[in-house]
Amino acid sequence: RSARVKNSGAPCGPSVTPISQVLVSEGMTPDPVTLRADDTLGTVRTWLHSGAGETHHQGFPVVNDAGVLIGVITRRDLVGDEDDGTPLRSVLKRGPVVIYDDSTLRDAADHMVREGVGRLAVVERDAPVKVTGIITRSFSTTSKTSVSSTRRRRMECGCSWRRRSFSSAGCF
C-alpha cells in the first residue's frame, strides 16, 4: 500500500497515523484495574496467580481509600522477598508518573523515555489524581486500530487537526 503525501511531504493515509496527531485518550486502555494501597502483597499475588479477569497486565495503578493515585506497581515489584502481609504502599518505588488524556501519543512516548518507565497512568487536567486510563509502550500498535474511522478520514483528506478540535472545511 502506498501512503498519501500531504503538501508538507510527510506521509499520511490509512497506513500511517502519526503519533503526534493521536490523543492519549484514543490510545489508552480506559478504566484500568486499580489496586488499593492497603491491599497486601499476599492478596495481590494470589489474585495474579488465579488468572482471573485482568490479571494478565504487567502494571497496575495503586490508589488510596479516596481513589487518589499514589503510584503504579509492576509484576516485578510484586515478586520480591517482602512478606505477604506487606501493604502495597510500602512496595511502591516512586510516586505516580502521569500523562494527561489530551496529550498526544508523541508526548506520552517522550515522557516514558524521560522518566524511564514503560507505562503511564492517564489523568484528566481537571482531576489529575483520578486515573481514567493507562498507556504502555505498546500503544503504537494499538493506537492504529483505536483511531475512529471518521478521524482517519479527516486525517487522510488533509484536514488540519489540533487537540480536541478539527478544522473540517471540506471534510466529514
Side-chain angles (χ1 to χ4, degrees):
R1 234 181 208 183
S2 62
R4 295 182 188 175
V5 178
K6 289 185 186 181
N7 293 339
S8 67
C12 71
S15 62
V16 177
T17 303
I19 64 173
S20 61
Q21 295 183 355
V22 179
L23 295 178
V24 166
S25 61
E26 295 177 87
M28 72 180 188
T29 299
D31 302 317
V33 171
T34 58
L35 302 177
R36 293 178 322 131
D38 293 328
D39 287 344
T40 64
L41 283 174
T43 302
V44 174
R45 288 171 178 160
T46 300
W47 173 70
L48 286 173
H49 292 322
S50 75
E54 301 290 320
T55 58
H56 64 279
H57 296 296
Q58 297 299 309
F60 302 91
V62 178
V63 297
N64 66 16
D65 288 338
V68 172
L69 177 67
I70 63 168
V72 174
I73 198 159
T74 65
R75 283 181 174 271
R76 183 176 295 165
D77 298 329
L78 297 169
V79 296
D81 294 332
E82 292 86 359
D83 181 75
D84 277 353
T86 305
L88 292 184
R89 74 172 63 252
S90 300
V91 182
L92 290 174
K93 296 183 176 167
R94 67 190 297 176
V97 181
V98 302
I99 189 87
Y100 294 118
D101 64 340
D102 63 353
S103 299
T104 66
L105 293 182
R106 165 58 44 208
D107 296 333
D110 292 345
H111 195 43
M112 283 186 221
V113 169
R114 272 192 311 273
E115 295 292 332
V117 297
R119 66 200 43 79
L120 299 168
V122 180
V123 297
E124 294 178 353
R125 288 186 189 275
D126 59 349
V129 295
K130 183 179 181 294
V131 180
T132 60
I134 195 160
I135 193 152
T136 66
R137 286 186 206 134
S138 64
F139 67 78
S140 59
T141 57
T142 58
S143 66
K144 290 177 185 172
T145 58
S146 66
V147 178
S148 72
S149 59
T150 301
R151 172 72 180 282
R152 280 200 181 130
R153 287 192 303 264
R154 287 179 174 167
M155 290 170 69
E156 290 167 17
C157 76
C159 296
S160 63
W161 171 81
R162 293 206 169 93
R163 292 183 189 177
R164 294 194 181 225
S165 64
F166 288 106
S167 171
S168 59
C171 281
F172 308 85

